[in-house]
Amino acid sequence: MSRVNFDTLLEAGCHFGHLKRKWNPAMAPYIFMERNGIHIIDLNKTVAKVEEAAEALKQIAKSGKKILFVATKKQAKQVVAEKAASVNMPYVIERWPGGMLTNFPTIRKAVKKMATIDKLTNDGTYSNLSKREVLQISRQRAKLEKNLGSIADLTRLPSALFVVDVLKENIAVREANRLGIPVFAIVDTNSDPSNIDFVIPANDDATKSVEVILDACCAAMAEGLEERKAEKVDMEAAGENAPKATKKKATKARMDKAEEDAINASKAAAFMSKDEEEA
């Protein structure tokens, strides 16, 4: 069954592109027509591309890897934060920290600094400092939380990037391309899809449009996570049964060896008694 349908995308306004004069010719294959100076996106292609992207995201989530969501534009911020949090994935909605992927160890240091401040606050180390110093530290903590709080659990590079508006998030896309990280993106008619691995042609300026596409993708990821959980349970169950089987085999082997020894001993005794009789 399809994850999204034509009518749902139409109602959400996914078909509205940008003004004709703002278009990117590379988006021509995804444009259906032009009306009143505005390009209309072909939603049949959007449905197919959402299916393709959702399936790939499901496989990534199933393998236990992380997908980083990036959307710093006002219309998409809240939606992306909610959807990413629902599938326990990291997200960036404030500002893309330059070098977040290409200079990941430095970003990790900043995240660790945030954890250190929390630890020192809890154990009372800062109680000896002046009010001014405590205020400076708390402001620094708030700033780190705002920019990096949502990626605190990201201990290694993400396996994929999901971007809303590749024109605005071009630095994130370039960093991902440089490191060979696959990029999933909602691409509008004014953007270049050539650097995107999984293009979802749709309106990236409407909150409803972004929400409909994210719903489908996050539902697929949730399925992948559930399947992973089910497989883990099955493996654990199989692991519990395996030692029992091994134990039985070991016991049987010991019994077989004991029987063999007993037979050999009886043969030896019979042979000895035969020798004695002959003597």
Side-chain angles (χ1 to χ4, degrees), residues 42-205:
D42 187 347
L43 290 183
N44 287 315
K45 289 186 178 175
T46 303
V47 170
K49 289 289 183 181
V50 168
E51 287 294 324
E52 187 186 328
E55 196 54 44
L57 287 166
K58 180 182 174 181
Q59 293 308 318
I60 293 170
K62 191 178 176 181
S63 63
K65 293 171 183 172
K66 293 286 182 185
I67 296 146
L68 179 63
F69 286 78
V70 185
T72 58
K73 68 195 301 180
K74 197 166 34 175
Q75 303 95 308
K77 267 186 185 185
Q78 202 55 43
V79 176
V80 168
E82 285 170 13
K83 300 296 175 191
S86 69
V87 286
N88 199 25
M89 292 293 172
Y91 56 90
V92 174
I93 57 167
E94 284 305 326
R95 181 182 74 84
W96 177 260
M100 185 176 154
L101 298 178
T102 50
N103 196 15
F104 189 69
T106 306
I107 299 295
R108 279 303 303 162
K109 279 178 191 170
V111 173
K112 282 176 185 171
K113 190 175 186 180
M114 194 165 64
T116 307
I117 291 171
D118 287 342
K119 188 183 174 186
L120 294 174
T121 305
N122 293 334
D123 65 14
T125 308
Y126 290 149
S127 57
N128 302 324
L129 299 176
S130 66
K131 281 186 180 178
R132 184 184 172 81
E133 286 172 323
V134 171
L135 187 62
Q136 283 176 337
I137 290 164
S138 61
R139 278 179 184 162
Q140 188 183 17
R141 169 73 177 79
K143 190 178 178 183
L144 287 168
E145 177 63 43
K146 185 183 177 186
N147 292 326
L148 305 172
S150 57
I151 58 160
D153 297 333
L154 192 65
T155 52
R156 60 181 68 187
L157 282 170
S159 294
L161 224 65
F162 192 102
V163 180
V164 178
D165 193 348
V166 293
L167 207 61
K168 189 173 172 63
E169 316 300 346
N170 66 324
I171 298 171
V173 173
R174 291 212 311 267
E175 284 189 32
N177 290 154
R178 190 171 174 182
L179 295 172
I181 295 170
V183 180
F184 296 76
I186 298 175
V187 186
D188 213 329
T189 56
N190 66 336
S191 307
D192 181 10
S194 57
N195 296 328
I196 311 301
D197 300 281
F198 292 86
V199 177
I200 301 172
N203 180 2
D204 61 12
D205 294 306

Side-chain angles (χ1 to χ4, degrees), residues 28-39:
Y30 305 108
I31 293 170
F32 177 64
M33 65 182 289
E34 178 236 322
R35 179 173 288 178
N36 300 331
I38 293 172
H39 277 129

